[in-house]
Amino acid sequence: MQDGQDGAELRGLAADEAPPAPLVDAALFRGIVKMQPFTSWTGLEIVRVEYGHVETRMTLRRDDMVQHHGFLHGGLIAFLADNVSAYAAATTIGDVLTAQFSVNYLSPGIGEAFVARGHVVKAGKRQVVTRADIFAVNAGEEKLIAVASAVILPAGAAALDRPPAKSAG
């Protein structure tokens, strides 16, 4: 956890109190990944889902995911941060939309794969604040390459199981 807080404290629980079950589980997230064309294209994998915490992984494809220096494209790093932030928030409040996020790039995206870990910093009724850490993985070793913060909003009546609308063009 960040800032000396443990998971129970972040969720407003006593240290000996068990966290609630996530409102969105790994199976539903995997279904969402399949229904979203871009997310599906990335090959994003759902690794871990707990109340307030999500971990994802994406394997690098050098033929279509790198920029001109051969690093993972910054847009894909931002994608990882946005998705894992929204997913972590969704475990606490259900269907969500990102209202704002900021990413700080710390090192080039050089790796075989990339792991994103998101957690809820504070969940309220109207917004959830999250943090995401993005790691490059090389030979099993992780290197922190980006950190992000986000404000996530409940989506209201938007359906999690509705595929994206097709464009008219």
Side-chain angles (χ1 to χ4, degrees), residues 46-82:
I46 305 299
V47 175
R48 181 174 63 103
V49 176
E50 297 173 7
Y51 186 87
H53 300 274
V54 172
E55 180 177 328
T56 63
R57 180 182 172 90
M58 183 182 75
T59 301
L60 179 69
R61 294 191 313 262
R62 293 202 179 278
D63 59 333
D64 60 358
M65 290 183 160
V66 299
Q67 44 82 297
H68 66 286
H69 294 293
F71 310 147
L72 179 65
H73 192 285
L76 284 168
I77 295 170
F79 153 78
L80 289 169
D82 179 31

Side-chain angles (χ1 to χ4, degrees), residues 72 77 80 103-110 113-115 133-137 142-147:
L72 179 65
I77 295 170
L80 289 169
V103 61
N104 292 347
Y105 299 94
L106 307 175
S107 294
I110 301 171
F114 297 86
V115 171
D133 295 319
I134 313 303
F135 299 87
V137 181
E142 292 184 355
K143 179 180 181 180
L144 183 65
I145 62 164
V147 295

Side-chain angles (χ1 to χ4, degrees), residues 2-129:
Q2 307 302 319
D3 305 320
Q5 294 180 319
D6 66 13
E9 186 178 343
L10 288 173
R11 292 183 292 271
L13 302 173
D16 61 346
E17 199 174 345
L23 295 182
V24 180
D25 64 11
L28 185 51
F29 282 131
R30 289 182 183 109
I32 291 167
V33 167
K34 286 181 185 175
M35 88 165 74
Q36 295 176 325
F38 180 78
T39 305
S40 181
W41 170 84
T42 68
L44 186 76
E45 301 169 52
I46 305 299
V47 175
R48 181 174 63 103
V49 176
E50 297 173 7
Y51 186 87
H53 300 274
V54 172
E55 180 177 328
T56 63
R57 180 182 172 90
M58 183 182 75
T59 301
L60 179 69
R61 294 191 313 262
R62 293 202 179 278
D63 59 333
D64 60 358
M65 290 183 160
V66 299
Q67 44 82 297
H68 66 286
H69 294 293
F71 310 147
L72 179 65
H73 192 285
L76 284 168
I77 295 170
F79 153 78
L80 289 169
D82 179 31
N83 265 32
V84 81
S85 295
Y87 291 175
T91 67
T92 66
I93 63 170
D95 196 7
V96 296
L97 297 166
T98 302
Q100 181 277 332
F101 84 102
S102 173
V103 61
N104 292 347
Y105 299 94
L106 307 175
S107 294
I110 301 171
E112 305 155 356
F114 297 86
V115 171
R117 293 188 184 104
H119 74 267
V120 170
V121 175
K122 180 163 174 62
K125 292 179 183 176
R126 297 184 185 173
Q127 69 179 23
V128 178
V129 175

